[in-house]
Amino acid sequence: MVDRRVAMRGAWTVAQQRSQHWYGGDDRNAFIHRAWMRRGLPDDAFDGRPHIAIANTASDLTPCNSHLDEIATSVKQGVWEAGGVPLNLPMVSLGETQMRPTAMLWRNMAAMAAEELLRANPVDAVVLLGGCDKTIPALLMAAASVDLPAVVVPGGPMLTGTFRGAPLGCGTDVWRLSEEVRAGTLAREDFLASESAMIRSRGHCNTMGTASTMACLSEALGMTLPGVAGTPAPDSRLLVMAQHSGRLAVELAAAQRRPSTVLTRGSFRNAIVALAALGGSTNAVVHLLAIAGRLGVELTLDDFDRTGSGVPLLVDLHPAGRSLMEDFHRAGGMLAVLAQVRDLLDPQALTVTGRTLVDHLEDAVTWDPTVIRPREEPLQSDAGIAVLRGNLAPDGAVVKPAAASAHLLRHRGRAVVFDSVEDLKARLDDPGLDVDEGCVLVLRGCGPRGYPGMPEVANLPLPERLLAKGVRDMVRVSDGRMSGTAYGTVVLHAAPEAAVGGPLALVRDGDPVVLDVPARRLDVDVPAADWARREPAEAMLASLAAPTRGWERLYVDHVMQADRGADLDFLVGSSGDGVIRESH
Ligand code: FES
């Protein structure tokens, strides 16, 4: 048997490898652990070489991730080449478009399952394979909690589909075209004809939605091989990067380079800068807060505004701009973007390579400045997420100025309130609804606890008769989220949410709502004495779900508000990779 104190195998020290707590030694337990794993593995698979888990979110019901098994094969090849042992580890997979009531309800469950599986099994490092919106955040939350050496391989966006000669941005164009149907400017048959052209290939949404954003931010955080984010899913270079990531995972196990050394306050700062320059999804706010929470890194909602608000928007991509992810990759990808804002990045922040992020920007080139703008010619000068406070959101709300209408960023309008999504659907197009383009549409009961799961419904559609008049944006306010592919002057994540007694629960039709993004305010202009007497709306309370069992019950009992990343309260903080008890 191996003497774990002294033996060296290649670059790694046997004693370092936690898998040796299972496989090292000559007792009955080690016998059992080795024997059941043999099935083709040679003797030297147990000699102390790193065992690398491939946390794989492939699933036919997560169509954006259905190709990940092929990527896993390339990762495996890389792990073998570097002298490690690759092990496929299927993960809970969340398909954004398929799951009801919302995939976000299970992000924390997926993260918890991944954390526990990684901790419970004899693995020394992990390659994280994700793509669709919640999958990369859940894997990063898990990796942060268990703090095993880890590297992300994003599954990549799909290629650009075209319809009748024009490119289609998936997500963004669904919202746009469906509104055109409601406005009467597009025939329903034409809308339906675009359906088969929307998804051209394997991969996740090709806009700068949540999946693309979280892949890019994984790179900005230092958790991927530099240059991989945005590589289209069918591009053979992604398989090469996956292979290199497999090799790197073995190196990470040898170097004991863990997420806690990569994911520092500096790397989160870099991610916030990148989020602004990309015009990325507002969902990144809740995901980054949750990941930071798992590590005990101090990150607050206000950091997004402080760090990101002065950062220029450089990437001309849907939903804030015109291009799609295939163009982004061709134009130079993340490295080109980061090079433009290099002076704003933390120079100390490390990546999984062991070098700093800024070190990797030396040779970055922008190949198409119409897609990735030079710093001196931004699409917008102050593009980051704006964090609003006021008597409608004492703990904060967010708005993405890059996706909003400039003329609505300062606005006063009377509230038209919906108590639930069902209420919205029932009344929005009612000819009797008293609404005009100056109104502020309020949708409540859609926060983490209320819905439950904080769904992407906050970009509520506009009333049909206003669309027919040519109105394409109105101020909307909600405690829910919106899809990263959506756009509009939408104030999101209002905290605390209405369901836990947040002030949105008190708003009534006709109340004047005042949005002032430059001043970072969101208020209702109701006399204080009147406001103090208000009670939460009965109809909203009646619409709230009250789960009695299972995950939903656990979630509702423990989920925190959006300003804390909507994680479960008992999952905050890292637990590490230690397992104290034997199984036999
Ligand atoms: Fe999966 Fe958009 S639905 S990334």
Side-chain angles (χ1 to χ4, degrees):
M1 273 298 121
V2 176
D3 178 347
R4 299 192 3 245
R5 290 166 304 174
V6 295
M8 297 284 290
R9 296 286 184 275
W12 56 86
T13 308
V14 174
Q16 286 172 340
Q17 301 312 314
R18 99 189 250 284
S19 57
Q20 280 299 295
H21 292 293
W22 280 257
Y23 301 128
D26 55 6
D27 62 8
R28 189 190 63 178
N29 278 348
F31 173 104
I32 293 171
H33 294 311
R34 288 191 302 267
W36 263 258
M37 284 299 287
R38 285 188 180 270
R39 302 170 201 253
L41 285 180
D43 284 350
D44 60 8
F46 307 103
D47 68 356
R49 64 190 60 226
H51 283 226
I52 309 296
I54 302 170
N56 186 351
T57 53
S59 162
D60 289 340
L61 278 165
T62 306
C64 306
N65 292 17
S66 59
H67 63 297
L68 292 185
D69 285 338
E70 187 185 4
I71 293 179
T73 302
S74 294
V75 172
K76 275 187 177 179
Q77 212 169 309
V79 172
W80 282 126
E81 284 165 3
V85 177
L87 301 150
N88 193 43
L89 186 58
M91 292 282 126
V92 173
S93 189
L94 307 174
E96 190 65 28
T97 50
Q98 313 305 102
M99 298 187 75
R100 292 178 176 176
T102 167
M104 183 64 173
L105 177 60
W106 294 284
R107 181 202 63 177
N108 300 339
M109 185 183 85
M112 193 159 81
E115 172 189 346
E116 301 296 351
L117 282 176
L118 290 169
R119 184 180 295 113
N121 277 297
V123 294
D124 302 300
V126 56
V127 180
L128 307 168
L129 303 190
C132 197
D133 290 16
K134 306 298 175 292
T135 52
I136 286 183
L139 291 174
L140 279 173
M141 289 161 73
S145 293
V146 74
D147 203 24
L148 277 173
V151 54
V152 175
V153 180
M158 63 184 83
L159 300 174
T160 303
T162 58
F163 179 61
R164 297 180 179 168
L168 280 180
C170 53
T172 307
D173 277 325
V174 179
W175 313 129
R176 184 179 61 79
L177 295 173
S178 61
E179 289 292 79
E180 293 300 333
V181 172
R182 297 181 65 242
T185 52
L186 180 72
R188 183 163 292 277
E189 307 82 77
D190 291 340
F191 171 62
L192 293 175
S194 74
E195 181 181 313
S196 60
M198 183 68 65
I199 307 300
R200 179 172 162 216
S201 73
R202 62 178 67 183
H204 60 68
C205 290
N206 58 8
T207 47
M208 190 50 77
T210 306
S212 299
T213 301
M214 291 312 297
C216 290
L217 297 193
S218 299
E219 185 165 325
L221 284 167
M223 288 298 292
T224 69
L225 274 180
V228 68
T231 307
D235 193 313
S236 57
R237 289 168 290 185
L238 184 58
L239 297 179
V240 176
M241 294 295 254
Q243 192 168 340
H244 284 300
S245 300
R247 292 182 193 171
L248 176 66
V250 178
E251 230 183 277
L252 290 175
Q256 292 291 295
R257 193 175 305 127
R258 295 170 183 268
S260 52
T261 60
V262 175
L263 296 170
T264 57
R265 188 164 161 76
S267 63
F268 281 97
R269 180 192 161 86
N270 291 349
I272 293 172
V273 170
L275 177 63
L278 291 165
S281 164
T282 45
N283 289 324
V285 176
V286 280
H287 297 323
L288 290 176
L289 287 168
I291 298 163
R294 296 296 185 98
L295 288 151
V297 170
E298 211 175 297
L299 188 75
T300 66
L301 202 49
D302 292 322
D303 286 314
F304 286 82
D305 206 324
R306 256 194 303 269
T307 302
S309 61
V311 177
L313 173 64
L314 299 177
V315 178
D316 193 351
L317 225 76
H318 283 223
R322 298 166 302 172
S323 311
L324 292 164
M325 286 303 285
E326 205 179 330
D327 308 302
F328 174 74
H329 185 245
R330 178 177 49 76
M334 264 317 275
L335 295 181
V337 177
L338 292 171
Q340 294 289 337
V341 290
R342 185 185 170 140
D343 57 307
L344 304 177
L345 300 176
D346 186 309
Q348 311 293 334
L350 281 178
T351 70
V352 283
T353 66
R355 294 168 60 203
T356 63
L357 183 68
V358 295
D359 264 0
H360 288 285
L361 305 178
E362 289 302 331
D363 303 323
V365 178
T366 299
W367 300 107
D368 185 346
T370 66
V371 178
I372 298 174
R373 297 282 192 95
R375 178 76 169 270
E376 49 288 355
E377 290 173 39
L379 279 119
Q380 243 181 58
S381 50
D382 305 307
I385 304 284
V387 176
L388 314 174
R389 289 185 200 277
N391 63 11
L392 274 187
D395 292 341
V398 303
V399 66
K400 182 175 163 183
S405 302
H407 71 281
L408 291 175
L409 293 177
R410 268 206 178 101
H411 183 80
R412 180 187 175 99
R414 83 187 146 81
V416 176
V417 184
F418 299 98
D419 285 308
S420 65
V421 171
E422 294 74 19
D423 180 32
L424 170 81
K425 286 182 178 163
R427 293 195 297 124
L428 184 69
D429 291 330
D430 183 337
L433 184 71
D434 183 13
V435 64
D436 59 49
E437 57 268 48
C439 290
V440 173
L441 305 178
V442 176
L443 176 61
R444 59 190 172 199
C446 300
R449 198 181 294 182
Y451 201 72
M454 207 184 175
E456 294 182 340
V457 294
N459 54 316
L460 51 166
L462 307 189
E464 209 163 84
R465 73 189 128 102
L466 297 182
L467 285 169
K469 269 177 64 184
V471 178
R472 288 294 180 272
D473 195 10
M474 290 170 70
V475 174
R476 288 156 273 178
V477 176
S478 177
D479 45 13
R481 295 178 304 120
M482 78 171 176
S483 163
T485 62
Y487 49 86
T489 311
V490 188
V491 178
L492 308 151
H493 310 181
E497 64 175 300
V500 298
L504 273 192
L506 310 179
V507 181
R508 292 180 187 161
D509 281 338
D511 285 346
V513 173
V514 185
L515 171 67
D516 188 342
V517 177
R520 301 296 193 258
R521 296 291 304 179
L522 176 69
D523 294 287
V524 62
D525 189 9
V526 170
D530 176 7
W531 190 246
R533 281 194 297 273
R534 297 263 180 110
E535 294 287 336
E538 292 287 333
M540 188 274 301
L541 292 175
S543 76
L544 300 177
T548 54
R549 64 180 297 279
W551 170 256
E552 277 190 42
R553 173 64 191 272
L554 188 67
Y555 178 90
V556 163
D557 285 351
H558 291 280
V559 71
M560 299 186 296
Q561 292 295 288
D563 61 307
R564 303 283 310 279
D567 200 359
L568 302 192
D569 52 12
F570 59 79
L571 291 176
V572 171
S574 172
S575 308
D577 67 3
V579 183
I580 50 167
R581 286 259 160 93
E582 287 281 0
S583 50
H584 309 289

